[in-house]
Amino acid sequence: MEKVDFDIAIIGAGPVGLALACALDTFPDPRPSVALFQADNPAMHNPARDTRVLALNHGSRVFLEQLQSWPNEHAAIETVHVSQKGRLGRTLISHSDFNVAALGYVVPYRAVHASLQHNVNGGHTLRLAGAPATVANDPGSAAATITQNGQTYRARIVVQCDGARPDTQLRDYNQHAVITSARAALPRPGWAWERFTREGPLAVLPHPVFADAQSIVWCTSPARARELLAADDARFSAELTAHFGDRLGPFTVLEPRHIFPLALNVSRNTVDGRIVTIGNAAQTLHPVAGQGLNLGLRDVAGLMRALRPWLSSPAQDPALALSAFAESRRADRGITRRLTDFMPRIFTSGNPLVEHACGLSLLALDLTETLRRPLARHLLQGYRH
């Protein structure tokens, strides 16, 4: 009989990998054997010092609460205001439309990571750290191979989360995201703003740590992003105020800025033999509407549903379960990818006719609940079938 070390190996200890480990730990006895492989390089990324914030929708909160991993630090998004700079038309989406306490939440990355990590450390998952792990299928075998620190392990299923980049780039947006936080003179608690401009979308979100402050995600050209990174605080604050408008009064920047290049990358096949790809390893999206981690957590939930029959007898071939997973996630991944790809491109066309059409579309969404509800529901919880 072939030697198999684990039923499931998870590659990557970011929020998606940790969430999967937590979910697998809830499976009743006989519990599958699970290993979590993480690449340790604090000089490149230390989660405890990561200052980013994440936008998590209502569905993600429900899922993390089921895993007992919802962080204490969070700021509720009760109303979303969508507008286009220089053109008429805007859309308001309210939590009251869906009878939920909030449409979503802004949470610190470090808080989500720490909460999930705490639960994994207290569970049954074996954690293996060191150099980045590599994986390979072994055709005709009952397991795939993982190599880390010169050691080789074998697992019946390998799930790549953060351990590999998607294999295909569909689009380079020629945009960078400038990330920081700022305090507004006229704050509006519970409001999130998505402001489309010819440079790219500008998101102004409630900040989960600083009182009466906003998290800023400013998408713009690479050259402009470098200028904003180099600007002193006073100049950046003035540029942000001018770019956003006067709805919240003058901004005062609170933190150093960071920039990230933006591209659409996807894995053409999320299942390859016994290797499954989810989360950032399956897709990296434009940050508009903040769908990245939400989609990754839905990948975790979908994988758990598909694997449940197999987990009761993991010695059996998982091919049917993995195929069911890939098919079940196709629509949600496709809709979310197209939505987050379309919005930042259509609003930056520079064509006045297109811009006016976008403004009319925002107005129509605002005036017509039957048009607004499907979009809002997808952003609230993702595609359900």
Side-chain angles (χ1 to χ4, degrees), residues 4-192:
V4 176
D5 299 291
F6 314 110
D7 293 319
I8 298 178
I10 303 168
I11 311 299
V16 171
L18 292 170
L20 178 58
C22 286
L24 287 166
D25 218 28
T26 65
F27 197 79
D29 289 331
R31 187 179 288 107
S33 57
V34 180
L36 178 68
F37 291 79
Q38 68 182 67
D40 273 348
N41 191 343
M44 292 190 65
H45 183 231
N46 183 343
R49 296 182 180 178
D50 195 317
T51 60
R52 287 177 296 167
V53 297
L54 303 167
L56 294 179
N57 62 25
H58 173 75
S60 292
R61 173 169 184 162
V62 170
F63 182 62
L64 289 174
E65 284 180 334
Q66 290 171 348
L67 300 180
Q68 300 182 2
S69 297
W70 181 245
N72 292 326
E73 290 179 278
H74 55 266
I77 298 174
E78 298 172 350
T79 303
V80 176
H81 183 288
V82 185
S83 64
Q84 181 182 198
K85 186 178 181 181
R87 301 293 180 190
L88 296 175
R90 63 103 168 102
T91 295
L92 285 180
I93 303 172
S94 172
H95 68 104
S96 60
D97 296 338
F98 298 92
N99 196 31
V100 293
L103 295 169
Y105 303 84
V106 185
V107 298
Y109 177 97
R110 58 168 176 75
V112 175
H113 190 277
S115 183
L116 288 165
Q117 183 167 248
H118 174 77
N119 284 339
V120 172
N121 289 343
H124 298 84
T125 299
L126 175 66
R127 299 192 66 165
L128 297 168
T134 60
V135 300
N137 276 308
D138 188 356
S141 172
T145 299
I146 309 105
T147 302
Q148 185 185 56
N149 301 332
Q151 297 288 321
T152 298
Y153 307 88
R154 290 166 58 74
R156 302 183 196 279
I157 292 177
V158 175
V159 185
Q160 289 208 274
C161 302
D162 301 328
R165 298 286 294 176
D167 52 37
T168 303
Q169 182 177 104
L170 296 184
R171 197 178 313 283
D172 181 347
Y173 291 106
N174 193 33
Q175 291 180 0
H176 282 10
V178 182
I179 310 294
T180 189
S181 62
R183 182 164 283 122
L186 303 172
R188 258 183 150 168
W191 281 60

Side-chain angles (χ1 to χ4, degrees), residues 54-57 194 285-295 340 379:
L54 303 167
L56 294 179
N57 62 25
E194 191 77 68
L285 310 176
H286 194 286
V288 65
Q291 289 300 294
L293 180 55
N294 294 299
L295 187 60
T340 58
L379 298 179

Side-chain angles (χ1 to χ4, degrees), residues 215-303:
S215 175
I216 307 298
V217 183
W218 184 346
C219 300
T220 186
S221 70
R224 172 81 160 139
R226 289 190 291 270
E227 289 177 3
L228 294 171
L229 186 67
D232 61 30
D233 287 354
R235 180 185 162 198
F236 179 85
S237 299
E239 294 274 3
L240 175 60
T241 302
H243 193 60
F244 179 76
D246 59 4
R247 286 183 175 89
L248 299 178
F251 286 99
T252 303
V253 68
L254 296 175
E255 290 185 300
R257 281 137 271 157
H258 303 278
I259 60 176
F260 300 91
L262 304 179
L264 173 62
N265 300 277
V266 300
S267 287
R268 295 291 188 179
N269 298 303
T270 54
V271 174
D272 177 17
R274 290 175 177 265
I275 301 173
V276 192
T277 307
I278 66 173
N280 282 344
Q283 61 266 320
T284 57
L285 310 176
H286 194 286
V288 65
Q291 289 300 294
L293 180 55
N294 294 299
L295 187 60
L297 292 177
R298 296 200 296 273
D299 285 345
V300 173
L303 184 60

